[in-house]
Amino acid sequence: MYHGEMGSERYAPFTVQEMKQKAYDYWALGHIHVASVLSMEPPIVYPGTPQGHTKKEQETPGVLLVTLSEGTPIFEAHAVQEITWDEVTCSLANVKNQRTALEKILALFTKSEKNSLKFN
């Protein structure tokens, strides 16, 4: 396990070659929240993050479950987040007053999926 950023000069830098030289069976990496596989042999993987931390993390689809056995590792993607960060557009064209605007905005959120923002 290593918490760092490949090729970074600022935060715990490493290279895939350095990781491979350690001859470990598997590297689970942290710091980058988007799941990605840097190497298959040995598996060097950013498994992702269970929850996007801010609205900038709309592209964090969940985590990778990595199963190791003899032969090729198996990667399974799992969406485990409780909240998704999405952008929505609400047209207020032809809205004449604040009350109607607020009702239209609230309707957009209250009819969306269970993980979206709800108002009571």
Side-chain angles (χ1 to χ4, degrees):
M1 190 178 313
Y2 187 76
H3 194 262
E5 186 173 355
M6 184 174 68
S8 170
E9 294 181 14
R10 302 178 325 173
Y11 185 83
F14 70 91
T15 66
V16 169
Q17 188 58 35
E18 289 170 327
M19 297 290 188
K20 288 182 175 192
Q21 288 173 352
K22 300 286 184 190
Y24 291 176
D25 292 331
Y26 170 66
W27 281 97
L29 303 175
H31 186 61
I32 303 300
H33 291 180
V34 176
S36 59
V37 178
L38 303 182
S39 170
M40 288 293 288
E41 187 58 44
I44 302 173
V45 180
Y46 282 110
T49 186
Q51 179 65 61
H53 294 213
T54 69
K55 64 183 178 182
K56 293 188 296 185
E57 294 187 335
Q58 293 180 12
E59 301 297 321
T60 53
V63 297
L64 287 178
L65 173 64
V66 181
T67 304
L68 301 176
S69 60
E70 297 298 322
T72 305
I74 299 168
F75 304 99
E76 298 173 69
H78 293 274
V80 296
Q81 66 274 12
E82 285 292 320
I83 298 170
T84 56
W85 297 95
D86 294 320
E87 277 188 37
V88 294
T89 302
C90 181
S91 172
L92 299 178
N94 302 319
V95 171
K96 304 277 189 245
N97 58 56
Q98 289 180 339
R99 181 177 186 86
T100 304
L102 181 58
E103 288 170 355
K104 195 166 183 177
I105 293 167
L106 287 174
L108 180 69
F109 287 105
T110 56
K111 69 179 180 183
S112 56
E113 296 182 24
K114 72 175 183 88
N115 289 341
S116 295
L117 180 62
K118 301 277 193 251
F119 294 94
N120 293 323

